[in-house]
Amino acid sequence: MRPFKYTSESDPTIAIKIVSTNPTAKYLGGGTNLVDLMKEDVMRPSELIDVTRWKFSKIEKTKSGVSIGANATNAITANEEIIREDYPLLSMAILAGASAQIRNMATNGGNLNQRTRCTYFYDVNMPCNKREPGTGCAAVNGENKNHAIFGWSEKCIATYPSDMAVALAALDAVVHVESLNNTIRSIPFADFHRLPGDHPEKDNTLKHGEFITSIGLPKNQFAEKSYYLKIRERSSYAFALVSVAAALVTDADMIKEVRIALGGVAHKPWRASVAEKWLIGKQATETNFRAAASAELKNAKPLQHNKYKVGLAIKAIVRALEGAMLGGVYGTMEADSLNKNQDHERNR
Ligand code: SF4
């Protein structure tokens, strides 16, 4: 690891000034991703400002819904009563991520700032536009089994790894940030993470020096019918091949409102807006879920090694919506098991 300066600054105003005036300074939260990247020499900050002693860790009800402090850990957030009762989709998604030890360390702000797990991004001997702009993308003609099927560019085909972010996308969260001179702004979640385009080195729309203070969740009626399904190659400590955050409001099985967001398929959490529109006003049946999922996946552009994700995502959307209709039970599944179960069901 390269030498760097470490500062634990308890005054956010001073810390924001330090980071804003040093282009290679970074905030340090739980460090569960950043420190790994520094050890691998992928990220080389000259200065880390430890923010873990700041405030910004409250989780509380507000007039419009709930505010989640950026410095609260993932574990505390997932187990907080307000979140478990009013936003169970978020609890399920967080608990599907990483491991208990990591969730105890990782902060909510850090979760949104984590970086792709593309193996070429981690390998400093390989070309990677995200790590070193202009060097090329080793994954385009390399091993791309885990890469994107939506929204990728020739410059980068990576996916975004967070489970929490998929639920936040489905729940229409808002990210509140602070910068120099106590300037604050709010970023709708759909605009927070970005597609790679010509600048895959930028994962999100935060400006250098801006600090995430909290995440706002608007009130909704999804608590009774929501479900997070994560398909992965082993049952813990693995990133999603495909994941689905699904939530519904129904009236006598007629769909009044529906939210579907996908993980593991794009450079950002992918809101399945085609499927959502298709389902409004329809009966909540497996046939309709499958038709809506198929309509969404018609727009997918799979790569050489990840065509399997198209069929997998259709099955996962159907299963997640069915799980939501059943009242939402925490769900995580290995890819083989989903394929076998679905084949079995179809053959009955
Ligand atoms: Fe780098 Fe993106 Fe290509 Fe992976 S997919 S090698 S992160 S540019």
Side-chain angles (χ1 to χ4, degrees):
M1 194 188 280
R2 290 167 195 254
F4 61 91
K5 184 176 172 189
Y6 170 88
T7 308
S8 181
E9 176 52 67
S10 57
D11 183 343
T13 309
I14 296 173
I16 287 171
K17 197 170 180 185
I18 294 172
V19 175
S20 300
T21 50
N22 177 357
T24 58
K26 292 250 169 243
Y27 297 114
L28 176 69
T32 54
N33 185 216
L34 176 57
V35 174
D36 278 354
L37 289 164
M38 290 170 67
K39 286 180 187 165
E40 299 289 337
D41 205 24
V42 175
M43 291 182 74
R44 302 164 186 174
S46 62
E47 186 168 8
L48 292 183
I49 312 297
D50 189 336
V51 300
T52 51
R53 289 188 200 143
W54 294 7
K55 44 183 187 174
F56 307 131
S57 57
K58 273 191 189 157
I59 300 171
E60 57 191 352
K61 285 197 174 182
T62 61
K63 275 188 193 160
S64 58
V66 69
S67 170
I68 302 170
N71 274 354
T73 64
N74 287 177
I76 284 175
T77 306
N79 291 306
E80 170 66 44
E81 195 179 343
I82 307 169
I83 303 301
R84 290 180 73 93
E85 289 189 357
D86 295 350
Y87 303 91
L89 184 62
L90 181 58
S91 285
M92 291 182 220
I94 293 173
L95 293 174
S99 64
Q101 291 92 335
I102 290 176
R103 293 193 296 271
N104 281 336
M105 284 294 292
T107 63
N108 295 327
N111 191 309
L112 301 192
N113 275 314
Q114 67 178 296
R115 310 213 63 193
T116 184
R117 296 320 197 271
C118 171
T119 49
Y120 300 109
F121 176 67
Y122 273 76
D123 184 346
V124 292
N125 297 308
M126 299 299 287
C128 172
N129 287 322
K130 186 178 279 299
R131 179 174 17 85
E132 280 186 58
T135 56
C137 171
V140 168
N141 295 312
E143 170 54 62
N144 48 42
K145 173 171 92 83
N146 295 326
H147 291 71
I149 57 172
F150 286 114
W152 51 268
S153 74
E154 289 297 328
K155 296 266 172 76
C156 180
I157 58 173
T159 57
Y160 193 68
S162 165
D163 292 294
M164 179 183 188
V166 181
L168 292 174
L171 294 168
D172 277 347
V174 177
V175 182
H176 301 291
V177 304
E178 186 171 330
S179 56
L180 275 180
N181 305 320
N182 302 110
T183 307
I184 53 172
R185 72 177 177 120
S186 300
I187 310 169
F189 205 77
D191 299 332
F192 182 77
H193 293 104
R194 54 184 299 286
L195 293 176
D198 287 335
H199 291 285
E201 71 278 11
K202 291 183 186 166
D203 294 338
N204 56 51
T205 52
L206 277 181
K207 295 173 193 148
H208 183 70
E210 280 187 324
F211 177 78
I212 301 174
T213 53
S214 66
I215 300 159
L217 287 177
K219 285 181 184 160
N220 66 54
Q221 295 181 295
F222 295 125
E224 271 184 33
K225 292 189 174 78
S226 52
Y227 194 89
Y228 187 74
L229 176 65
K230 179 174 181 176
I231 316 291
R232 47 186 160 178
E233 287 184 312
R234 58 174 191 264
S235 52
S236 81
Y237 203 27
F239 294 93
L241 299 173
V242 171
S243 68
V244 183
L248 294 146
V249 178
T250 57
D251 184 0
D253 277 359
M254 180 76 77
I255 299 170
K256 287 173 66 185
E257 266 191 88
V258 59
R259 303 274 178 80
I260 305 166
L262 306 179
V265 299
H267 197 260
K268 62 187 280 186
W270 189 262
R271 191 72 179 262
S273 47
V274 173
E276 289 179 359
K277 275 188 202 131
W278 198 99
L279 284 169
I280 293 293
K282 304 268 188 0
Q283 289 289 316
T285 63
E286 186 198 344
T287 305
N288 283 337
F289 293 160
R290 193 170 300 281
S294 300
E296 182 71 39
L297 269 296
K298 263 198 184 136
N299 300 318
K301 291 198 175 103
L303 302 152
Q304 188 183 0
H305 303 128
N306 69 3
K307 294 181 179 64
Y308 75 95
K309 282 195 178 185
V310 175
L312 191 61
I314 292 172
K315 291 172 183 174
I317 291 171
V318 173
R319 184 65 68 87
L321 288 164
E322 288 179 333
M325 285 301 293
L326 289 171
V329 180
Y330 167 62
T332 179
M333 210 166 280
E334 289 156 65
D336 276 359
S337 120
L338 183 74
N339 284 321
K340 279 177 198 149
N341 286 345
Q342 294 262 339
D343 289 346
H344 174 66
E345 282 164 18
R346 212 173 300 119
N347 293 333
R348 272 194 301 182

